[in-house]
Amino acid sequence: MSMIDYAGQRRFVAGRIRYATAPEPGTILGPNATREHLVVLGQDGQDTLLGYATDEDRSLAFRHALLGPGPRSVTEFQMARG
């Protein structure tokens, strides 16, 4: 696995995916096949880099969905609905 600097930390890149329009870093996605949530860490060319979401990632996304511009993904929408 490769690593990337994200939000002041070194994070493992758990996967890569391509989107027509890439989601912004910090967006929570998932759950994946093993029921884990992923966070968008950044871009590498056309690839969106994903890492396993931490509690802090989920908390920041939840605040973004409720207090910021709104949810950035279906997962964040579901988190905000409770």
Side-chain angles (χ1 to χ4, degrees):
M1 269 195 237
S2 62
M3 295 187 77
I4 186 174
D5 288 322
Y6 171 76
Q9 300 175 353
R10 295 285 290 162
R11 299 281 294 266
F12 285 104
V13 176
R16 296 168 175 260
I17 193 167
R18 287 193 179 175
Y19 288 96
T21 303
E24 71 179 81
T27 302
I28 301 292
L29 306 171
N32 63 10
T34 55
R35 300 177 53 119
E36 298 161 311
H37 285 102
L38 302 167
V39 63
V40 174
L41 300 174
Q43 291 294 122
D44 182 14
Q46 293 183 344
D47 292 342
T48 298
L49 305 177
L50 305 173
Y52 294 109
T54 64
D55 288 340
E56 182 178 350
D57 295 327
R58 285 186 286 274
S59 176
L60 289 170
F62 182 73
R63 286 197 306 254
H64 185 278
L66 290 180
L67 304 175
R72 300 167 286 194
S73 67
V74 172
T75 302
E76 289 182 3
F77 176 79
Q78 292 170 338
M79 289 168 54
R81 275 188 25 170

